[in-house]
């Protein structure tokens, strides 16, 4: 929402949450660049997981645990006051977002072994559809361009993954888990956008990842998942996954969701699918399918419509100065 032009005799603006991202207004172009870096980071997730010799749930745990370890010095030394001043509501919402992120990992990763990768990918990437529906249920009225762009972007994912449905009980259960993973991711994005209205990126991210780590650890222990005994190469890949997909990927998503909004952010995450295919082609030597490039173009066109719809809605809102 744009603010009314400042006057010389205007009252000072209210204090913003601590954090370097609040030192000066960030342009939409800058936020889109950060979002592009984030998508590149999460696009490395699937190729890295495929190349890492460790259980999927253990990989999810370690990428979050290592991220918490990396963020702890910053959180305790530079952002301790912000963590203490988060407030009960913001803290509970951040914990809830972490729980939904843990649920996303816990239900989606097993689905990859129960149904086809194509079906799992297509269903888990329904996130922007659920995000738009949840926004509507909360009283927001997404513009027609947002609905159209969301549908077009999801169509791009379907073009890439194809339609591969099976009627076996195991495959249907896997499809249901992947769909639940997409819903959980939508809730994670929406709660993150709400918390980020008043809380800086690092404080929110730290609480969110810490919650995810604890819950995934409990899931691994309950399921008897092996958490150690890996080779040095596996640990190196886990560290690389943490830096790229978690710290650069999810953390930058947590940053830009405040300015770009949940609709744009969740739709852009669809680019992870063709991005992973292209990265796998370069890194693992896997030839991407011929439809990867047109699918990428369709997703980009859908994302453009969502951004246009979001910007037009903001421009139409009255200037209130807040």
């Amino acid at each position: 929402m744009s603010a009314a032009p400042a006057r010389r005799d205007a009252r000072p603006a209210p204090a913003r949450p601590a954090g370097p991202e609040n030192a000066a207004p960030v342009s939409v172009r800058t936020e889109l660049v950060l979002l592009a870096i984030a998508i590149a980071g999460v696009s490395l997730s699937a190729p890295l997981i495929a190349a890492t010799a460790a259980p999927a749930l253990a990989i999810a745990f370690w990428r979050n645990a290592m991220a918490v370890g990396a963020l702890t010095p910053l959180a305790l030394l530079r952002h301790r006051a912000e963590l203490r001043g988060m407030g009960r509501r913001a803290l509970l919402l951040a914990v809830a977002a972490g729980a939904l992120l843990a649920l996303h990992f816990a239900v989606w990763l097993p689905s990859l072994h129960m149904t086809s990768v194509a079906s799992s990918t297509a269903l888990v990437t329904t996130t922007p559809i659920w995000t738009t529906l949840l926004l509507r249920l909360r009283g927001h009225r997404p513009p027609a361009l947002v609905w159209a762009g969301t549908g077009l972007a999801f169509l791009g994912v379907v073009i890439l993954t194809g339609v591969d449905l099976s009627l076996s009980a195991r495959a249907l259960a896997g499809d249901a888990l992947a769909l639940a993973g997409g819903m959980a991711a939508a809730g994670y994005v929406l709660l993150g956008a709400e918390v980020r209205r008043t809380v800086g990126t690092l404080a929110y991210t730290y609480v969110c990842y810490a919650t995810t780590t604890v819950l995934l650890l409990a899931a691994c222990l309950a399921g008897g998942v092996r958490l150690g005994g890996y080779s040095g190469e596996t640990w190196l890949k886990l560290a690389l996954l943490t830096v790229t997909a978690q710290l650069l990927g999810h953390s930058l998503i947590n940053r830009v969701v405040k300015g770009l909004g949940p609709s744009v952010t969740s739709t852009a995450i669809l680019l992870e699918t063709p991005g992973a295919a292209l990265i796998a082609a370069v890194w693992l030597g896997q030839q991407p399918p011929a439809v990867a490039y047109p699918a990428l173009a369709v997703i980009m066109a859908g994302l453009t419509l969502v951004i246009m719809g979001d910007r037009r809605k903001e421009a139409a809102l009255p200037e209130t100065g807040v």
Side-chain angles (χ1 to χ4, degrees):
M1 185 183 301
S2 58
R7 297 179 300 177
R8 292 185 179 180
D9 60 345
R11 294 181 180 179
R16 295 182 177 183
E21 71 271 22
N22 292 318
V26 180
S27 68
V28 172
R29 180 176 298 179
T30 300
E31 289 179 326
L32 289 174
V33 170
L34 293 176
L35 180 59
I37 295 172
I39 298 306
V42 296
S43 294
L44 280 164
S45 179
L48 274 172
I49 290 174
T52 301
L57 205 56
I59 293 174
F61 163 73
W62 280 116
R63 64 186 280 182
N64 281 276
M66 289 181 175
V68 169
L71 293 175
T72 294
L74 283 174
L76 298 184
L77 295 177
R78 298 184 58 183
H79 296 267
R80 185 182 302 176
E82 185 182 1
L83 284 168
R84 288 177 176 175
M86 279 183 67
R88 179 181 175 84
R89 180 176 181 273
L91 181 61
L92 289 177
L93 289 177
V95 169
L100 287 173
L101 182 60
L103 179 62
H104 166 73
F105 284 126
V107 298
W108 175 47
L109 294 179
S111 78
L112 292 168
H113 302 287
M114 299 173 65
T115 186
S116 68
V117 174
S119 292
S120 178
T121 302
L123 290 169
V124 81
T125 52
T126 55
T127 295
I129 297 175
W130 301 116
T131 300
T132 306
L133 288 173
L134 287 172
L135 284 171
R136 183 67 184 88
L137 290 175
R138 292 178 59 192
H140 299 272
R141 293 185 177 275
L145 278 178
V146 171
W147 286 104
T150 299
L152 185 61
F154 180 66
L155 176 62
V157 173
V158 173
I159 291 173
L160 178 58
T161 60
V163 178
D164 184 16
L165 300 177
S166 173
L167 295 180
S168 73
R170 181 177 176 82
L172 288 175
D175 291 341
L177 288 176
L179 192 62
M183 294 178 181
Y188 160 65
V189 171
L190 284 172
L191 288 179
E194 182 65 25
V195 178
R196 285 286 290 111
R197 293 173 59 186
T198 57
V199 178
T201 305
L202 192 137
Y204 162 65
T205 299
Y206 187 71
V207 173
C208 179
Y209 289 177
T211 303
T212 303
T213 298
V214 171
L215 293 177
L216 286 175
L217 175 61
C220 288
L221 294 177
V225 177
R226 184 169 61 95
L227 293 175
Y230 309 141
S231 66
E233 181 183 356
T234 296
W235 286 114
L236 181 61
K237 289 175 180 176
L238 286 171
L240 182 59
L241 180 66
T242 301
V243 172
T244 56
Q246 202 69 26
L247 292 175
L248 282 180
H250 279 274
S251 298
L252 283 179
I253 287 172
N254 291 340
R255 169 163 180 156
V256 302
V257 72
K258 177 182 179 181
L260 295 178
S263 293
V264 173
T265 304
S266 61
T267 304
I269 294 174
L270 291 177
L271 291 169
E272 176 185 354
T273 305
L278 297 177
I279 289 173
V282 174
W283 183 33
L284 302 177
Q286 298 179 0
Q287 186 63 31
V291 295
Y293 300 103
L296 177 61
V298 171
I299 295 173
M300 287 297 297
L303 178 59
T304 301
L305 290 180
V306 172
I307 293 174
M308 289 173 59
D310 224 48
R311 295 304 113 184
R312 287 184 183 180
K313 180 180 179 181
E314 287 190 2
L317 291 173
E319 295 186 348
T320 60
V322 295

